[in-house]
Amino acid sequence: MPKNLLSRLPNDWRELLNPLNTNAEWLNLLNSISAKEELARNQFEQGVVPSFENVFKALSLTQVENIKVVILGQDPYHSPGLAQGLAFSIPESIRPGSREFPSSLRNISKALALEGFSPLTDGNLTRWANQGVLLLNATLTVQLGQANSHCEWGWQQFTDQLIKSLSEQITGIVWLLWGSYAYKKIDLINKSQNHLILSASHPSGLSVYKTKSPFISPGDTQSCGHFKQSNEWLLSHKKTPIAW
């Protein structure tokens, strides 16, 4: 595995992917990502988010052995000051109610309240990550102001393999697939490993109400129930529930 990518990949995640370390196609992919990262570091660092030290933040905060829940996102926030290496998460300095506070987090907070949990006091979801919630974006970097601009870098092949390996080697994980993009990853999840897979529409904007499985029902009367169902599943498998 290329040193500049390997050096930031936590040891436990490196071990999870270890069987691929002799696969030529896999090594070529990592070399390609590393070359693009290095180019961005040298020439466009101010325009690439999150910062390079936070590219693997989700993996650094949530160790493989501690994973209870996986929430999949598409790519980092592309507006200035938001991306911090965790899907859906933003710095706590950006307060709820401010114009910069993303609609996805507003709706997540609303869903929590509908399920009987406390609404978010801020958008920093590090506390979730520390409890075993992997907040993983399919693409780990983005150019400021250009949504999905690094989708061709190869990150998705990397994270697809990570999802596949994780679901094969670890049992009993709750997978929260919000939106059509996340739902496309369902075929990567090994169904024989006693996982709970829950899906709903994406929590952003008006998407929250769309599809036959809305994240929040029209009229804001009911949520998809994913936070409560996750904790019930964890308790039934003798695991500590998440303090959402």
Side-chain angles (χ1 to χ4, degrees):
M1 192 178 291
K3 286 186 177 180
N4 52 343
L5 191 59
L6 176 62
S7 64
R8 293 197 316 282
L9 190 64
N11 289 337
D12 55 338
W13 290 97
R14 191 188 321 168
E15 183 63 27
L16 183 82
L17 298 169
N18 187 60
L20 293 168
N21 286 350
T22 57
N23 182 296
E25 184 177 352
W26 175 248
L27 293 176
N28 287 337
L29 169 65
L30 297 183
N31 275 315
S32 174
I33 296 174
S34 295
K36 290 167 183 173
E37 280 191 290
E38 193 63 27
L39 179 63
R41 181 195 298 273
N42 292 335
Q43 298 183 20
F44 307 111
E45 187 168 7
Q46 297 305 313
V48 175
V49 292
S51 58
F52 281 90
E53 61 269 20
N54 284 332
V55 169
F56 289 129
K57 186 173 182 179
L59 306 182
S60 297
L61 290 180
T62 311
Q63 296 179 335
V64 172
E65 65 178 3
N66 295 332
I67 288 181
K68 301 174 182 176
V69 180
V70 177
I71 300 178
L72 298 177
Q74 184 166 347
D75 63 345
Y77 294 115
H78 61 275
S79 298
L82 295 185
Q84 56 174 190
L86 300 172
F88 294 102
S89 183
I90 62 173
E92 61 186 42
S93 58
I94 302 172
R95 309 306 300 171
S98 69
R99 186 165 56 181
E100 294 80 12
F101 201 82
S103 62
S104 55
L105 283 171
R106 289 199 299 270
N107 288 323
I108 287 171
S109 183
K110 188 182 297 183
L112 286 167
L114 286 169
E115 293 185 37
F117 299 99
S118 298
L120 297 175
T121 56
D122 58 70
N124 187 346
L125 304 182
T126 298
R127 59 189 177 277
W128 290 7
N130 288 335
Q131 296 177 75
V133 180
L134 178 64
L135 298 161
L136 180 69
N137 280 315
T139 299
L140 299 185
T141 59
V142 71
Q143 195 77 20
L144 274 176
Q146 301 177 37
N148 213 25
S149 51
H150 290 177
C151 65
E152 301 299 326
W153 274 31
W155 281 125
Q156 293 183 46
Q157 294 98 306
F158 175 85
T159 53
D160 280 359
Q161 184 59 57
L162 189 148
I163 292 167
K164 184 178 179 181
S165 296
L166 181 64
S167 72
E168 289 174 346
Q169 298 182 40
I170 307 297
T171 63
I173 296 174
V174 179
W175 298 81
L176 302 183
L177 309 181
W178 297 337
S180 59
Y181 186 88
Y183 189 76
K184 290 177 182 177
K185 306 296 183 182
I186 193 169
D187 290 337
L188 300 172
I189 301 171
N190 189 321
K191 313 301 188 301
S192 68
Q193 290 293 73
N194 192 33
H195 300 301
L196 174 64
I197 304 174
L198 302 174
S199 63
S201 58
H202 197 275
S204 65
L206 294 178
S207 298
V208 70
Y209 305 114
K210 294 180 178 179
T211 77
K212 295 180 180 178
S213 300
F215 188 79
I216 296 176
S217 61
D220 297 343
T221 57
Q222 186 176 350
S223 82
C224 59
H226 286 185
F227 301 107
K228 186 176 180 180
Q229 289 178 64
S230 295
N231 278 356
E232 289 173 348
W233 171 270
L234 294 174
L235 283 169
S236 70
H237 288 75
K238 303 191 184 320
K239 297 180 181 181
T240 305
I242 305 299
W244 299 108

